Amino acid sequence: MADLEFKAVSKAFGKTIVVHDLNLRIKDGELFVLLGPSGCGKSTILRLIAGLEYLDEGEILINGRAINNVAPKDRNVAMVFQNYALYPHMTIYDNLAFPLKVKKFPGDQIREIVQKQAGLLGLTELLERKPKTLSGGQRQRVALGRALVRNPSVFLFDEPLSNLDAKLRVSTRAEISSLQRTLNATMIYVTHDQEEALSLGDRIAILNEGRIQQIGSPQEIYDQPANVFTASFVGSPRINLLEARISDDSVIAIGNDAEVPIAESWRRTLHNGKTEFVVLGIRPENLFYQRHNQDDLVLKTEVLHTEFAGDRHVLFCTLGNEELRVKSGKAIPSEEGEKIELFVNPQNCLLFDGKNGERIL
Ligand code: ADP
Ligand code: MG
């Protein structure tokens, strides 16, 4: 297997820069997730690794060796796509055998490798069938198998599960994860789905408009987002981001008619004289109906409406001219239109610079 490094890689299409000065090191045996909204450059980054696009600046290295001038077929990377890209007229066996035939492996060796991978992926019973007779999940497993038989240094996954229904997505996700651990393979997995990224990744890089916003473990990304983009991209329901102004020594004003006292633990950060506008970030699960700590902040809100989500409710409340999302238990202790107080521990709040969106606390 292999480690993979980007050094100051940039790529433009015409005048549009799609990848900006990308620096990244993916470790041997790591499942690394690239997460970002549609159009942020994820597929382009994979295509640069596979050699399907040329970079404009910088270097990509596999095991320390620059691959800029290595032909795609000699890079030893395998890519799995959302649309499977299986050969429709070939049987599953022939689909799996194809990359080996191209490489002129002897027939008995091909048989051995295909049988082994088919067994690993639960495809043994399906080898004589054609792709169109398979379910989406089975087809995706064949696509995976076709990548595996090549024994590549690096696997690239481009939103491989987005064509599957929700249940299959979760089970195939678990299969990929366990396969990755069994093989100890280096995998780069692209998705726009934050839940998929959090559940799969050893580490995640969050991308926006071709720039890395943050690299970290799922826990770090969730608990310590680098900026408001990362904070709002990860987590469901979305984090509450309240635009606030430090109005005097003791309170910050939220919108026009709400304010919260400045918590003791925020003072040093906020009273440096430089910060006037901040964004207060509160995850929906950190808002409670009851006080838990003496220094909890109190938000006076009104319930707008509630959403049922099976195991819980999501409450939407107004706070001044802002809307708050609150993750609630199975029971909702309040009705629409009711005025309620919500409590949050200041330790569980995030503070961002109101001008550039960087996290300050
Ligand atoms: P993602 O996979 O994150 O959705 P892509 O990497 O596919 O994003 O695309 C990033 C940006 O580059 C998009 O704005 C897309 O329109 C543009 N783009 C991608 N491929 C080409 C191309 N071959 N020619 C011109 N623009 C492209
Ligand atoms: Mg894409």
Side-chain angles (χ1 to χ4, degrees), residues 11-14 16-19 34-47 53 158-159 190-192 207 209-210:
K11 169 74 186 170
F13 290 112
T16 317
I17 302 174
V18 173
V19 179
L34 291 176
L35 172 67
S38 171
C40 73
K42 304 182 295 296
S43 294
T44 304
I45 292 172
L46 292 192
R47 293 169 61 79
E53 298 285 356
D158 197 354
E159 315 226 14
V190 157
T191 180
H192 66 272
L207 280 170
E209 296 179 348

Side-chain angles (χ1 to χ4, degrees), residues 14 26 31 34 43 75 87 116 123-124 149 163 180 207 248 295-296 303 314 323:
I26 294 158
L31 204 175
L34 291 176
S43 294
R75 291 189 181 193
Y87 303 110
K116 181 172 159 236
L123 296 170
T124 306
V149 295
N163 275 353
Q180 193 269 341
L207 280 170
D248 65 35
D295 55 355
D296 277 355
V303 180
V314 181
E323 189 182 87

Side-chain angles (χ1 to χ4, degrees), residues 210-223:
R211 289 177 206 273
I212 290 195
Q213 305 295 308
Q214 185 170 7
I215 301 174
S217 70
Q219 188 90 52
E220 284 163 356
I221 298 264
Y222 190 83
D223 290 341

